[in-house]
Amino acid sequence: MTKIFPKAAFVLSIGVLGFAYGFAAEAWNLFPRAHVEQAWRQARALYVSSSRHFLSDKVYDRSGVGIADSSNVQPGLTLVTSWWEEDGDWDMGAKLIDREGETVHEWEVPGDSLFSDPAKDQPYIHGTHLFPDGDLLLNVEYAGTVRMNACGAVEWTLSAGTHHSIERAADGSFWISGLAEGRRRGSDAYPDGYPGLDLVFVDQLLRVSPDGTVLDTLNVLDLLYNNNLQRHFIKAGQTRGDVTHLNDVEPLSPGMADEYPLFDAGDLVVSLRNIDLVFVVDPDTREIKWHASDPFHAQHDPDFVGNGWIGVFDNARDFRGGQMLGGSRIVGLQPHTGTVEEWYPSEQSDRFYTPAGGKWQELENGNMLLVEARVGRVVEVDSTGRTVWEWIKDSEGDSQVAEVLGGSRHDLTPDEVEAWSCTSDPAAARSN
């Protein structure tokens, strides 16, 4: 019996030392933390690519296109991004569909071969920009950005953890949501770590040239600390991991800037979902000129829409399928007056709720195009909130449907799309 105690004490001491070293490795980035994190990322990528995580519970008992008022539908083709099943295999892709739901053009995206790091094979598209010649710029979520021509040939890739959104600036460059490699405690501005935060993912605002060169990088956490907005972190309910969850960055165009007394051309409106925060920042001075964290929750896609207004897709995420907070909506905020309005839904509106994802687009005829992401629906509504057109993804079996993370209307005709050529010089195409 007396020999057992020394052995037990030895085993216990090894366990205590192992725990202590593991804690130190996590805190100070010691060996083998980087290898463990890489293994975790690879395991997560394998799970994501094999688990059909993109399937959600089916809500609607219909699919395809429904047209309630053909005379009031904004002309053009609709770009949708989702997952598409063929012979039992699922692939991410983008399609242009007409108002009857017929595919006019499509891009197949080889997510398993675009990026060399297998941990970056996240199989879904989140954020697109369609060029007039059929080139498509898109994010493979948290992996990188790729530019493809109309026939799907890859022109370039950018491996920068890009995700969620792509918006073109007046000078032809793009603002893209990005993510710094791995988890970090700090930055050059905060070398000893961000006060009050443990290891966190660091979101970035990336300015990228048409040929895929990163021209500028804004660190989101630095912006918040330097502008004394760190108090909002408490809303995340966590001090490590995905604290901010950047999901949109959009520049204010010169043609619209005079309508915003508080802002200047080139200022950026930014959305951080996990802390219910929308703000406008000057990318040159890094000054946050305005911010709001009400009246939305888990929001997406703030847009400058003119006359001083910023429209926000308010997910209003709750735990009862939208019953607690009333479902998702579009709200308008006018920063220089402090006015808030609810633009959608109205008494004439159908059910509308997505706990995550979601985009909206103001159309030329005054309608809105809305993406109800989790239930695979894109819907166009008129100024009264009444549905005039919808497209719902075909269901998988009787109970599930693939998410649709992107839906945007483009001023194109099938004849114009048919005329797209894939033989033009990529360098010339990048100047478009």
Side-chain angles (χ1 to χ4, degrees), residues 106-242:
E106 62 185 304
W107 297 259
E108 295 182 1
V109 183
D112 57 351
S113 61
L114 287 172
F115 302 98
S116 59
D117 185 347
K120 291 184 176 179
D121 294 337
Q122 306 298 323
Y124 61 102
I125 299 168
H126 211 173
T128 60
H129 176 83
L130 179 60
F131 293 86
D133 64 354
D135 274 21
L136 184 66
L137 194 64
L138 60 90
N139 292 330
V140 179
E141 188 81 332
Y142 294 116
T145 302
V146 56
R147 180 165 178 165
M148 312 175 74
N149 69 16
C151 292
V154 174
E155 297 186 356
W156 54 258
T157 61
L158 170 65
S159 181
T162 47
H163 57 92
H164 278 90
S165 67
I166 299 174
E167 297 291 345
R168 195 172 194 179
D171 64 359
S173 64
F174 294 89
W175 283 100
I176 306 178
S177 305
L179 188 70
E181 185 74 20
R183 288 182 294 172
R184 299 184 178 183
R185 286 177 56 87
S187 65
D188 292 341
Y190 296 90
D192 297 325
Y194 294 104
L197 297 181
D198 298 319
L199 291 170
V200 292
F201 295 109
V202 179
D203 281 313
Q204 299 176 327
L205 314 180
L206 303 177
R207 181 170 163 256
V208 179
S209 71
D211 65 0
T213 302
V214 176
L215 305 174
D216 196 8
T217 301
L218 280 68
N219 182 313
V220 168
L221 291 177
D222 284 358
L223 290 176
L224 296 178
Y225 275 101
N226 292 345
N227 286 275
N228 197 32
L229 293 177
Q230 63 270 26
R231 64 187 180 277
H232 291 278
F233 293 144
I234 193 65
K235 299 172 187 175
Q238 58 193 30
T239 62
R240 63 172 54 205
D242 188 10

Side-chain angles (χ1 to χ4, degrees), residues 181 212 221 232 263 292 303 393 412 420:
E181 185 74 20
L221 291 177
H232 291 278
F263 311 137
D303 293 341
K393 190 84 164 57
L412 290 167
W420 283 344

